[in-house]
Amino acid sequence: MKDIYKILEERILVLDGAMGTMLQRHKFTEEDFRGERFKDWPTPVQGNNDLLSITQPEAIKEVHRLYFEAGADIVETNTFSGTTIAMADYEMEDLVYELNYQSAKIAKEVADELTEKEPHKPRFVAGSIGPTNRTASMSPDVNDPGYRAVTFDELRIAYKQQVEALLDGGVDILLVETIFDTLNAKAALFAIEEVKDERNIDVPIMVSGTITDASGRTLSGQTAEAFLISLSHIPMLSVGFNCALGANQLTPYLEVLAQKASFGISAHPNAGLPNAFGEYDETPEQMAEQIKEYMEKNLVNIIGGCCGTTPEHIKAIADLARDYKPRKLTVDSF
């Protein structure tokens, strides 16, 4: 398969859109989430989207296929919550390896099928590594600022297990995404480096943070530049931002990364900001019009969508991306 680093210099790569948005269309019930295998599971499991890779694999496969057919070069595995830490909510810690392995395998099957049909456009699978529901930098208890709900080592061990399963399932890339706490991300990246050393392999790494509000900082308090500097010791395919903001609001932070980073730049914003009901109203045309600015300013190498985005959004973005050159990769930016 053609080297993704080379392709990154030739054209803007397109990432998929929201898995959750697509799964909500199915209106899966508690019984659908459980399937036959988990019908007697002691805790409610509705909302555990990662579990659907086992109980509703055809639905997951269909989402991947729709995004690839819309023009995506890369799809993300259905593993955003695929750690023992996040799965503790459902008492499913022991299923973590299987969830990640199956999710990777499903996505890779679809990628291979589409690559075979169109060998000139190889399809890639990125193993999605979410932030977990705990933060290593801050206390969840306002009355006890020194308290931490998780340690660096606990995160490292959990991430390592996820990474091993994703690689065994056949992913091409590892994507540490929606980073609100850089210390959590450092634990994930440390785990990835450990696995790379143990297996004597190299694997492209994408890193994507989240600017949480108009202050322009991550939840753990870093500016875009500080976020970049604190992770730049790791060799990466790309660094970027996703979630929390729509395309318009994300522009100034991408400009900072594009100016400073020696890696590719990725962006997968939401379809605008959520309305009063938590839904995303931005149409594919509206979103593409805003993302056009990224390309005109030469800010990105990888572009896709996060919350609220659908194959229609990705098609509009992919159609646009064909007309623009990727951002040139610079060296020694600092």
Side-chain angles (χ1 to χ4, degrees), residues 169-185:
V171 302
D172 307 294
I173 303 160
L174 292 169
L175 167 57
V176 182
E177 65 165 317
T178 323
I179 298 161
F180 55 76
D181 184 342
T182 309
L183 194 56
N184 287 37

Side-chain angles (χ1 to χ4, degrees), residues 16-36:
D16 63 1
M19 173 63 76
T21 298
M22 295 299 288
L23 292 176
Q24 281 167 14
R25 294 178 172 186
H26 288 275
K27 296 185 165 48
F28 285 132
T29 62
E30 176 73 28
E31 287 67 36
D32 295 325
F33 272 87
R34 287 172 177 264
E36 187 57 32

Side-chain angles (χ1 to χ4, degrees), residues 91-321:
E91 297 177 17
M92 288 187 160
E93 296 95 323
D94 291 347
L95 286 169
V96 160
Y97 183 90
E98 185 183 355
L99 287 171
N100 284 280
Y101 179 81
Q102 289 301 338
S103 296
K105 196 159 157 283
I106 287 168
K108 191 62 180 165
E109 276 171 22
V110 185
D112 288 348
E113 179 190 312
L114 270 289
T115 300
E116 206 172 308
K117 274 188 203 165
E118 301 176 293
H120 63 281
K121 186 177 161 69
R123 304 314 211 277
F124 300 95
V125 174
S128 171
I129 299 169
T132 81
N133 46 10
R134 300 192 196 164
T135 170
S137 290
M138 294 171 288
S139 172
D141 182 355
V142 291
N143 299 311
D144 186 1
Y147 172 71
R148 296 292 179 271
V150 70
T151 66
F152 182 91
D153 218 40
E154 285 167 343
L155 285 164
R156 178 189 65 81
I157 292 162
Y159 280 129
K160 190 173 181 185
Q161 186 180 4
Q162 181 176 26
V163 166
E164 287 176 330
L166 288 169
L167 290 170
D168 289 350
V171 302
D172 307 294
I173 303 160
L174 292 169
L175 167 57
V176 182
E177 65 165 317
T178 323
I179 298 161
F180 55 76
D181 184 342
T182 309
L183 194 56
N184 287 37
K186 281 178 173 283
L189 293 166
F190 192 96
I192 290 169
E193 292 304 309
E194 270 192 313
V195 175
K196 280 165 63 177
D197 285 349
E198 286 167 13
R199 298 189 177 202
N200 195 23
I201 58 167
D202 197 17
V203 60
I205 299 167
M206 293 174 65
V207 169
S208 185
T210 291
I211 299 289
T212 47
D213 56 37
S215 71
R217 293 172 181 266
T218 63
L219 190 65
S220 54
Q222 287 187 313
T223 61
E225 186 173 357
F227 172 74
L228 173 65
I229 291 169
S230 64
L231 296 174
S232 284
H233 60 290
I234 295 284
M236 292 184 275
L237 175 72
S238 68
V239 64
F241 289 118
N242 74 291
C243 205
L245 302 175
N248 267 354
Q249 295 90 356
L250 207 54
T251 308
Y253 313 117
L254 291 175
E255 286 175 333
V256 171
L257 295 186
Q259 194 185 348
K260 303 281 186 183
S262 56
F263 316 106
I265 302 294
S266 74
H268 47 299
N270 292 343
L273 296 173
N275 62 26
F277 303 101
E279 294 164 346
Y280 296 86
D281 301 323
E282 210 161 78
T283 66
E285 295 72 29
Q286 288 169 329
M287 191 173 179
E289 189 53 40
Q290 293 170 35
I291 279 173
K292 194 175 180 180
E293 186 182 1
Y294 299 173
M295 298 177 193
E296 286 172 345
K297 289 184 171 179
N298 206 234
L299 300 179
V300 290
N301 303 89
I302 301 173
I303 184 73
C306 203
C307 304
T309 57
T310 64
E312 291 75 27
H313 289 83
I314 297 307
K315 183 178 187 320
I317 291 166
D319 289 347
L320 190 66

